Amino acid sequence: MDKSKLEAVVASAQAPEQNSRREFMKQTGAVLGAAGIMSMVPMGTRSAAWAAGSDAPELKEVKVGFIPLTDCASVVIASLMKFDEKYGIKIVPSKEASWAAVRDKVVNGELHAAHILYGMVYGVHLGIGGNQKDMAVLMTIDNNGQGISLANQLKDKGVTDGPSLAKLIKAQPREYTFAHTFPTGTHAMWLYYWLANYGINPISEVKTITVPPPQMVANARVGSMDGFCVGEPWNARGIYDNVSFSVASSQDVWPDHPEKVLGATDEFVQKYPNTARALVMAMLDAAKFIDAESNRAKVAKIISAKSYVNAPVDVIEGRFLGNYEDGLGKKWHDPNHMKFFNDGKVPFPYLSDGMWFLTQHKRWGLLKDDPDYLGVAKQINKIELYKQAASQVKVAVPKDVMRSSKLIDGKVWDGKDPKQYAASFKVRA
Amino acid sequence: MKRILIIDDIKDRAAWLRASLELADFHVTGVLAWEQVDEHAIQAAAADVIIVDANAPGRDTLEQISLMSTTLEKPVVVLGGKKDQQSIQEAMRAGVSAYVAHTIQSEDLSEIIHVAAARFLEHKRLRDELKEARNELVERKTVDRAKGILMADHGYSEADAYKRMRSMAMSKGKRMAEIADAIILAKELSA
């Protein structure tokens, strides 16, 4: 199915000059208030009453922001394969230069929704590092597929993994610098969790900086960091460019961890519930499509284009298919590679997933006090809306809004006692 | 007098912005390129307000620096290009800041934004004009080349070649340069 259409999409994605130019024109934009709260539009009140059939989208065009990363694939595919049109909307993907810009544009309404870091949505909702705005997670975009890399010069010092890194830092003290992609985001949390697992305190013992994903490898090349955590394809790119090597994938830290989400403001969901639902339906179709193993190579080719990830297809495709190498000579197939669907288990916005980021924000001092973990997650993760969308496109919905996971340090997270969990870590801010 | 730090990779724009702000009696304590941005550089600039381009990738770097160091929480004026009174006002209402903006009077901020926004806009207009002028030159050369092909291959006079291209452009609803591109491409294919 969809074969010839897919071929056409592959072909057109390779020559998208015109589109990208148009996108670019759109982006060179307005005077922005960072994290601004726009004019206070009265909230809509029609979110409660929904019945299948009365669901014409309020908006025809839905602008969805993304950052050049492998997991922006579902936004791109939902648009290029025209899954959006099946549900009466047109997704306009908008490539953004920084997570800060994604946040600002979602908050001020310039973007309706975005491919966005899970923890970042929670950070904005709680007003960490900026103005507070009530936010929404419509669905999870992907699990797995991020990674931690170390600069090649550490290899020469005998560092090949977490324990040897910890040994070096203790034996040869200096300012070690590690980069992630945003202070409240997922990569910061994977990096911190991983470092802490080897007894390295990411707040007090090393310096952390933020670098946008597409700039990561270039920054590592000029020697401004000892390691970084970023989404693919940028870890693979670091190996390809002979700049860095892999010490861990994010699924090593937490198998099937939540990563990017489809994020929006709560205001958007209240005002345009049908549009939000249609968007989730199109994104679920895309997720299903991408997870079909036979489509993956083509999807890799499509997103490699300049207007999307802008990286060699070889760099994207390997890890996208689960074929890993670490740049130290080891090669393996990882069954827990980046997933978008996994029988409906990936996209479901588990409350325990959202709460986990709050526990880590608390652990690392981004939150001073314990928030109402469950209450916040219930406000942000739009479980009901998701269920409506899933039932429309016949996607199985997990029974429980919590799930249980075992992380790299052996600790189990099941969402039951977040306050105790957040306080249970020895290494902390 | 408010002290201002400008972070911008576009040197002439930064210089221009600096001159304009100084003319308006603001004290510009530094101009940095994004690759120079780190905690020490921000600290050293000792600014009350930081002005950056909305579409600069380095903004994430600045967020981390501000969040990790409470003393470096500064109002950040984020500018794009559109001259739009309403969006300036919205930006004002928003506090124009990812960070805490308590320390600065909104009237001061307002003036800084107005001066800076106007300069950003002016710069964009000039760049666009330059780009347009360059495009026009390229297009004229393309049309000349296509004309040459028609004259050589079909024996048209220059005026006839031009006329044929123009009527083709009009009937297809395309620009002359696009028709010229097609002629050149066809020639290259058959060569």
Side-chain angles (χ1 to χ4, degrees):
Chain A
M1 110 195 174
D2 286 331
K3 273 292 164 223
S4 58
K5 192 158 137 202
L6 180 57
E7 295 295 342
V9 167
V10 172
S12 71
Q14 302 305 309
E17 259 303 285
Q18 288 229 299
N19 283 333
S20 68
R21 192 167 302 159
R22 209 170 301 139
E23 284 309 309
F24 178 77
M25 294 302 285
K26 271 188 210 151
Q27 282 176 35
T28 56
V31 174
L32 276 185
I37 297 169
M38 277 204 8
S39 51
M40 287 282 120
V41 183
M43 295 286 176
T45 48
R46 36 187 167 157
S47 63
W50 178 77
S54 66
D55 53 358
E58 304 85 350
L59 298 174
K60 290 287 165 265
E61 232 182 52
V62 189
K63 277 202 219 165
V64 183
F66 71 90
I67 291 281
L69 286 161
T70 303
D71 52 22
C72 75
S74 46
V75 175
V76 174
I77 291 297
S79 160
L80 292 184
M81 292 296 292
K82 303 198 190 302
F83 295 136
D84 49 358
E85 290 179 8
K86 277 167 73 180
Y87 308 111
I89 54 169
K90 177 156 178 43
I91 292 175
V92 182
S94 174
K95 182 163 160 171
E96 303 297 336
S98 69
W99 288 115
V102 169
R103 174 202 58 202
D104 294 350
K105 291 180 184 182
V106 167
V107 165
N108 74 15
E110 219 179 303
L111 292 170
H112 295 116
H115 157 254
I116 189 170
L117 302 162
Y118 211 134
M120 194 176 178
V121 175
Y122 274 66
V124 174
H125 189 91
L126 292 166
I128 300 174
N131 290 330
Q132 190 279 340
K133 177 88 176 173
D134 285 353
M135 297 297 287
V137 165
L138 302 178
M139 65 186 277
T140 302
I141 285 182
D142 63 326
N143 286 173
N144 307 328
Q146 323 297 302
I148 297 169
S149 295
L150 297 182
N152 276 350
Q153 57 265 27
L154 291 188
K155 190 159 62 180
D156 307 333
K157 303 227 171 213
V159 176
T160 54
D161 54 14
S164 49
L165 175 68
K167 224 170 105 192
L168 178 74
I169 291 177
K170 304 265 187 288
Q172 297 181 27
R174 61 168 168 89
E175 189 178 67
Y176 287 85
T177 303
F178 293 87
H180 54 69
T181 62
F182 202 79
T184 53
T186 53
H187 304 114
M189 298 309 132
W190 312 139
L191 177 68
Y192 295 177
Y193 206 99
W194 184 81
L195 288 170
N197 187 49
Y198 300 103
I200 304 162
N201 189 314
I203 308 298
S204 59
E205 284 184 271
V206 299
K207 183 182 166 191
T208 54
I209 58 171
T210 293
V211 175
Q215 275 77 44
M216 196 64 89
V217 176
N219 280 31
R221 183 184 287 117
V222 299
S224 55
M225 59 180 86
D226 295 286
F228 56 84
C229 180
V230 69
E232 296 305 343
W234 307 113
N235 294 285
R237 178 86 206 226
I239 297 171
Y240 181 88
D241 288 356
N242 203 22
V243 163
S244 55
F245 62 100
S246 287
V247 278
S249 66
S250 55
Q251 54 268 30
D252 292 339
V253 177
W254 175 356
D256 290 340
H257 67 82
E259 179 50 41
K260 307 299 181 304
V261 292
L262 182 62
T265 59
D266 183 65
E267 190 181 326
F268 170 77
V269 180
Q270 302 302 331
K271 270 174 82 178
Y272 309 113
N274 296 337
T275 310
R277 199 180 303 105
L279 182 59
V280 172
M281 285 155 72
M283 288 285 287
L284 283 173
D285 277 6
K288 226 187 280 187
F289 183 86
I290 297 166
D291 259 16
E293 210 63 40
S294 58
N295 291 332
R296 282 230 164 181
K298 292 272 167 49
V299 171
K301 198 162 178 196
I302 292 168
I303 62 171
S304 71
K306 204 171 167 209
S307 37
Y308 306 118
V309 181
N310 191 20
V313 62
D314 299 348
V315 166
I316 297 174
E317 192 182 306
R319 292 189 170 196
F320 199 41
L321 291 165
N323 300 323
Y324 277 71
E325 56 164 323
D326 62 0
L328 296 169
K330 195 177 138 209
K331 287 187 179 181
W332 71 99
H333 181 80
D334 191 340
N336 294 327
H337 57 68
M338 185 185 285
K339 287 179 194 154
F340 293 78
F341 191 62
N342 198 10
D343 289 327
K345 290 200 276 290
V346 172
F348 186 69
Y350 290 100
L351 298 182
S352 53
D353 285 0
M355 289 159 69
W356 185 84
F357 289 98
L358 296 176
T359 67
Q360 299 304 302
H361 290 165
K362 176 68 175 56
R363 177 185 183 186
W364 302 119
L366 294 163
L367 289 170
K368 301 290 169 253
D369 306 304
D370 283 293
D372 172 8
Y373 293 95
L374 183 58
V376 169
K378 278 182 172 166
Q379 264 176 25
I380 297 177
N381 290 22
K382 305 298 179 192
I383 301 262
E384 268 321 300
L385 187 96
Y386 176 84
K387 282 184 177 170
Q388 292 162 0
S391 77
Q392 289 286 293
V393 292
K394 311 225 165 4
V395 167
V397 173
K399 280 201 191 71
D400 199 344
V401 293
M402 305 284 186
R403 63 171 174 150
S404 180
S405 318
K406 192 181 201 174
L407 276 68
I408 190 172
D409 54 356
K411 274 185 184 291
V412 172
W413 165 246
D414 57 14
K416 289 210 181 83
D417 193 348
K419 197 172 163 184
Q420 185 274 328
Y421 178 81
S424 70
F425 296 96
K426 264 214 316 265
V427 181
R428 54 189 303 114
Chain B
M1 187 163 56
K2 290 295 167 211
R3 296 164 302 172
I4 297 171
L5 168 65
I6 299 165
I7 307 174
D8 198 352
D9 282 342
I10 301 176
K11 278 195 190 133
D12 59 333
R13 181 169 70 183
W16 198 352
L17 185 53
R18 172 181 208 147
S20 313
L21 286 165
E22 283 173 350
L23 211 62
D25 264 345
F26 293 107
H27 179 40
V28 178
T29 58
V31 176
L32 295 176
W34 279 104
E35 61 170 28
Q36 299 171 297
V37 170
D38 63 17
E39 210 176 312
H40 302 296
I42 303 281
Q43 195 97 57
D48 303 306
V49 179
I50 303 173
I51 298 180
V52 304
D53 180 345
N55 291 306
R59 287 187 53 204
D60 288 344
T61 309
L62 193 57
E63 298 259 343
Q64 165 84 356
I65 292 170
S66 304
L67 198 64
M68 298 314 276
S69 155
T70 45
T71 58
L72 293 179
E73 284 182 332
K74 310 279 185 198
V76 174
V77 177
V78 181
L79 293 170
K82 209 192 295 170
K83 186 185 181 181
D84 178 344
Q85 200 56 35
Q86 196 190 338
S87 40
I88 292 176
Q89 274 160 8
E90 274 162 9
M92 294 296 302
R93 255 204 303 277
V96 269
S97 168
Y99 324 117
V100 189
H102 306 306
T103 52
I104 190 156
Q105 295 297 314
S106 62
E107 307 88 72
D108 288 342
L109 211 47
S110 166
E111 201 188 336
I112 293 168
I113 289 165
H114 277 98
V115 172
R119 283 298 151 185
F120 260 58
L121 181 76
E122 182 73 359
H123 189 267
K124 185 175 180 304
R125 190 180 60 75
L126 286 178
R127 285 211 149 193
D128 288 350
E129 277 176 16
L130 191 66
K131 210 163 100 191
E132 218 167 275
R134 278 200 195 120
N135 282 346
E136 257 171 43
L137 196 66
V138 171
E139 286 190 0
R140 205 178 310 144
K141 279 187 184 155
T142 312
V143 170
D144 281 348
R145 219 180 123 199
K147 249 189 332 198
I149 291 170
L150 290 185
M151 286 157 70
D153 291 3
H154 301 281
Y156 296 133
S157 70
E158 187 177 351
D160 277 348
Y162 185 81
K163 243 187 260 168
R164 288 193 79 90
M165 283 168 63
R166 202 178 54 183
S167 70
M168 177 76 87
M170 283 166 83
S171 68
K172 300 266 182 205
K174 294 201 184 294
R175 299 202 338 273
M176 280 292 277
E178 290 175 293
I179 298 295
D181 272 335
I183 291 168
I184 294 166
L185 195 66
K187 177 69 180 171
E188 279 169 1
L189 278 174
S190 65

